């Protein structure tokens, strides 16, 4: 991904839920291990294109999917 | 002497269904062979795939039982485990609990234990001779302190059905948590948590849902706040790993420890099997077998006794005795001499048997599944005939 951001969740259950919703809507995304500098979680997060962020926030709200926060990874890789 | 090759007839489906559909066996095997990771614990592909197995099953279950949020599906190891979580989890607030005289020990024992410990006050409402709870009696038993009503949808001993929608309405109007034990009804009778006004539903995965043993769970209604239920288990969830407090969000707050992923994958396959067959078709098959068996048994087996009107049997269960025999004699002879598996005794439901006048001796129970046939019923009736004739000759 060129301009990646990651959605961090309290629980990996919500990461998988998000993955499935984004897959059905054909929105670019990727599952990844949680970057250690961002969180102490054991599991995974969902990587998205930064420009899709606002659209995806709306989708998360519409589906009742709880998440912790969205962090940009631009300039970190 | 029974030939080892004699056909096995399995009528103990209310204990656990057998055989399981091929797709259930295949789903479990595929999960064990190809998806070996621990869901939610690691960031690698196999862990994610295991997590997907769990999530897809949550989705299937929430849809099947009429709940919108899949995270309100909590996996447990069986319906007893789920009922304990619901009952003990709500009881920390104290108050008054109401249940019926048709319950399984999975409900009565935790409630009785809580009452013994002085944590709650318990009322057990007697049911009618048909095993039904009167809504009027329930309303009379409710007090300002009543915090939960726990009812089994269908009796494991007699196959009766309680009017859960009406009971749910009474509870909802008074702000009382309504817990339903669907161990014997899920996969047979229609159940919709929103329409039936159910706050918490406990289900078994390995009976009418055709999943493997070791599966079951709790489903919390969309409009019921899960924080009213205190977790019974505490430990690793893969979430909030930097904290020593238990998470308070669903489903992690109730799912400490590694889940039974192959079992959950098999459970999903079981529900897909049921959806393909259709609940109405499954129910009709059982009703037909019950009607067929009862008609022929009454005509052919001297002293054949049942305890409720045939029209009250809703889940394919026949509870019977034969005059002059202990139920254990019948069940043992069926198993040892005819390869027919049934269950005798009190079926972990002493109060239900007291209600129906079959305590302390109990009954022989046949419980049909979608795989049973009229030919198997004929075989059982011939066997019962022979058993009674043999004793007559002695």
């Amino acid at each position: 991904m060129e301009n990646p951001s990651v959605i961090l969740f309290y629980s990996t259950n919500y990461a998988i839920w998000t993955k499935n919703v984004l897959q059905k809507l054909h929105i670019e995304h990727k599952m990844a291990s949680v970057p250690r500098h961002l969180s102490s979680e054991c599991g995974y997060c969902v990587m998205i294109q930064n420009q899709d962020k606002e659209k995806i926030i709306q989708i998360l709200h519409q589906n009742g999917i709880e998440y912790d926060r969205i962090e940009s990874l631009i300039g970190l890789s | 002497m029974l030939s080892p090759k004699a056909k096995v007839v399995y009528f103990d489906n209310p204990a656990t269904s057998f055989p399981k559909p091929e797709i259930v066996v295949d789903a479990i095997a595929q999960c064990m062979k190809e998806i070996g990771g621990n869901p939610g614990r690691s960031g690698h592909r196999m862990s994610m795939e295991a997590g997907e197995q769990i999530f897809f099953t949550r989705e299937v279950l929430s849809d099947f039982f009429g709940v919108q949020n899949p995270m309100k599906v909590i996996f447990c190891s069986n319906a007893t485990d789920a009922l304990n979580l619901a009952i003990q989890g709500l009881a920390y607030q104290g108050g008054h609990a109401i249940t019926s005289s048709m319950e399984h020990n999975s409900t009565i024992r935790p409630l009785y234990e809580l009452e013994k410990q002085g944590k709650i006050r318990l009322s057990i409402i007697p049911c009618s001779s048909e095993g039904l709870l009167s809504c009027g009696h329930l309303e009379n038993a409710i007090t300002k302190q009543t915090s939960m009503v726990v009812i089994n949808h269908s009796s494991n001993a007699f196959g009766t059905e309680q009017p859960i929608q009406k009971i749910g309405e009474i509870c909802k109007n008074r702000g009382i948590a309504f817990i339903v034990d669907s161990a014997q009804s899920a996969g047979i009778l229609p159940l919709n948590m929103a329409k039936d006004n159910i706050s918490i539903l406990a289900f078994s995965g390995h009976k009418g849902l055709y999943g493997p043993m070791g599966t079951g769970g709790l489903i919390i209604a969309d409009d019921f706040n899960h924080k009213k239920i205190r977790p019974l288990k505490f430990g690793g969830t893969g979430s909030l790993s930097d904290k020593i407090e238990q998470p308070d969000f669903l489903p992690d707050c109730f799912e400490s420890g590694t889940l039974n992923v192959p079992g959950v994958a098999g459970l999903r396959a079981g529900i897909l099997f049921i959806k393909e067959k259709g609940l109405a078709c499954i129910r009709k098959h059982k009703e037909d077998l019950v009607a067929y068996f009862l008609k022929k048994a009454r005509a052919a087996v001297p002293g054949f006794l049942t305890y409720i009107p045939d029209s009250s049997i809703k889940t394919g269960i026949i509870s019977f005795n034969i005059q002059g025999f202990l139920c254990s004699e019948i069940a043992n002879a069926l198993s040892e001499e005819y390869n027919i598996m049934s269950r005798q005794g009190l079926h972990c439901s002493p109060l239900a048997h007291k209600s129906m006048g079959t305590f302390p001796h109990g009954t022989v129970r046949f419980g049909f599944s979608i795989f049973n046939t009229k030919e198997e019923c004929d075989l059982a009736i011939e066997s019962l005939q022979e058993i009674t004739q043999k004793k007559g000759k002695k």
Side-chain angles (χ1 to χ4, degrees):
Chain A
M1 283 186 188
E2 281 181 16
N3 299 308
S5 282
V6 288
I7 315 174
L8 300 170
F9 299 88
Y10 300 110
S11 161
T12 55
N13 288 292
Y14 294 83
I16 294 169
W17 190 2
T18 301
K19 179 201 166 198
N20 281 278
V21 168
L22 296 183
Q23 213 160 17
K24 281 177 196 162
L25 295 170
H26 306 289
I27 294 171
E28 189 181 354
H29 66 282
K30 194 181 147 192
M31 297 293 277
S33 292
V34 173
R36 193 52 51 214
H37 68 285
L38 292 179
S39 168
S40 62
E41 295 308 310
C42 304
Y44 20 89
C45 58
V46 177
M47 201 177 282
I48 57 170
Q49 288 285 11
N50 199 44
Q51 63 267 27
D52 292 334
K53 185 176 154 182
E54 293 310 316
K55 181 171 66 180
I56 289 172
I57 287 173
Q58 265 197 333
I59 292 167
L60 293 174
H61 284 305
Q62 280 163 6
N63 284 275
I65 303 175
E66 294 168 32
Y67 64 99
D68 178 8
R69 63 190 196 275
I70 300 178
E71 294 274 354
S72 171
L73 294 183
I74 298 168
L76 289 175
S77 53
Chain B
M1 181 73 179
L2 178 69
S3 156
K5 287 185 181 171
K7 177 182 161 54
V8 173
V9 175
Y10 187 85
F11 286 159
D12 197 17
N13 293 286
T16 192
S17 55
F18 178 85
K20 303 299 182 190
E22 278 295 313
I23 58 163
V24 170
V25 178
D26 291 347
I28 295 167
Q30 195 240 346
C31 189
M32 294 192 80
K33 283 178 188 168
E34 296 169 26
I35 307 167
N38 189 328
R41 300 300 196 274
S42 316
H44 57 74
R45 178 183 56 80
M46 285 168 68
S47 166
M48 289 180 208
E49 285 172 2
E52 284 196 314
Q53 292 296 316
I54 300 290
F55 175 75
F56 292 147
T57 310
R58 281 192 220 281
E59 268 198 326
V60 167
L61 280 163
S62 58
D63 177 60
F64 190 72
F65 290 116
V67 169
Q68 285 178 356
N69 183 350
M71 298 303 156
K72 295 206 124 177
V73 175
I74 312 302
F75 290 110
C76 302
S77 50
N78 47 51
T80 299
D81 199 17
L83 283 162
N84 269 272
L85 172 54
I87 292 168
Q88 295 193 57
L90 280 174
Y92 77 92
Q93 299 166 311
H96 171 227
I98 298 175
T99 190
S100 88
S101 66
M102 290 300 285
E103 303 305 309
H104 188 274
N105 273 343
S106 54
T107 287
I108 291 291
R109 284 183 174 169
L111 285 171
Y112 180 67
E113 185 63 30
L114 288 164
E115 188 190 39
K116 216 166 70 174
Q117 292 171 9
K119 292 184 179 164
I120 60 163
R121 195 170 70 75
L122 175 63
S123 298
I124 302 173
I125 304 178
C127 291
S128 72
S129 58
E130 293 176 13
L132 294 182
L133 177 73
S134 146
C135 288
H137 290 168
L138 172 67
E139 283 181 303
N140 291 339
I142 291 173
T143 69
K144 281 181 184 170
Q145 282 73 43
T146 306
S147 52
M148 65 174 118
V149 171
V150 195
I151 299 294
N152 72 355
H153 190 189
S154 180
S155 161
N156 69 308
F158 295 93
T160 50
E161 180 187 6
Q162 298 291 9
I164 53 163
Q165 198 171 56
K166 285 184 191 163
I167 298 170
E169 204 179 311
I170 292 167
C171 293
K172 194 161 203 165
N173 290 340
R174 289 160 177 79
I176 298 166
F178 180 37
I179 304 172
V180 171
D181 168 9
S182 73
Q184 295 295 331
S185 61
I188 304 166
L189 302 175
L191 257 171
N192 182 295
M193 289 184 65
K195 285 184 194 160
D196 293 331
N197 307 302
I198 299 169
S199 315
I200 305 170
L201 182 86
F203 68 93
S204 164
H206 64 101
K207 301 178 193 272
L209 297 180
Y210 293 97
M213 285 181 266
T215 59
L218 200 67
I219 308 184
I220 302 167
D222 286 312
D223 60 359
F224 191 86
N225 183 0
H226 74 274
K227 289 181 183 169
K228 289 181 183 172
I229 309 168
R230 184 171 280 185
L232 299 186
K233 278 189 303 188
F234 299 85
T237 55
S239 50
L240 301 187
S241 290
D242 58 333
K243 295 185 170 61
I244 60 169
E245 289 100 350
Q246 184 76 359
D248 64 358
F249 49 81
L250 287 167
D252 300 37
C253 55
F254 299 123
E255 287 184 349
S256 288
T258 300
L259 290 178
N260 173 7
V261 182
V264 168
L267 171 58
R268 182 171 83 254
I271 296 164
L272 296 178
F273 170 81
I274 291 166
K275 284 176 111 172
E276 198 188 310
K277 292 272 175 203
L279 274 193
C281 167
I282 290 171
R283 213 161 46 249
K284 180 160 188 331
H285 180 75
K286 292 184 180 219
E287 282 167 3
D288 288 350
L289 289 182
V290 166
Y292 182 83
F293 181 88
L294 287 175
K295 189 179 173 191
K296 291 194 85 170
R298 282 179 185 134
V301 182
F304 183 83
L305 287 175
T306 55
Y307 300 91
I308 58 168
D310 296 359
S311 58
S312 298
I313 301 173
K314 305 291 186 186
T315 55
I317 285 175
I318 297 173
S319 220
F320 68 93
N321 270 306
I322 297 176
Q323 274 173 345
F325 289 84
L326 294 172
C327 58
S328 52
E329 282 181 279
I330 301 289
N332 287 343
L334 286 171
S335 170
E336 287 174 17
E337 295 169 38
Y338 301 95
N339 240 359
I340 296 171
M341 310 301 153
S342 63
R343 181 168 172 188
Q344 56 88 13
L346 296 172
H347 316 100
C348 297
S349 301
L351 296 189
H353 279 281
K354 278 182 183 169
S355 300
M356 309 308 286
T358 46
F359 187 88
H361 301 297
T363 56
V364 181
R365 182 185 69 186
F366 283 1
F368 302 127
S369 89
I370 190 73
F371 296 110
N372 289 122
T373 63
K374 287 182 178 172
E375 289 71 33
E376 290 178 330
C377 290
D378 289 338
L379 206 64
I381 290 161
E382 285 164 25
S383 307
L384 291 172
Q385 262 183 319
E386 276 187 26
I387 292 166
T388 53
Q389 282 163 6
K390 273 186 210 165
K391 191 170 183 180
K393 283 176 191 168
K394 278 181 189 171

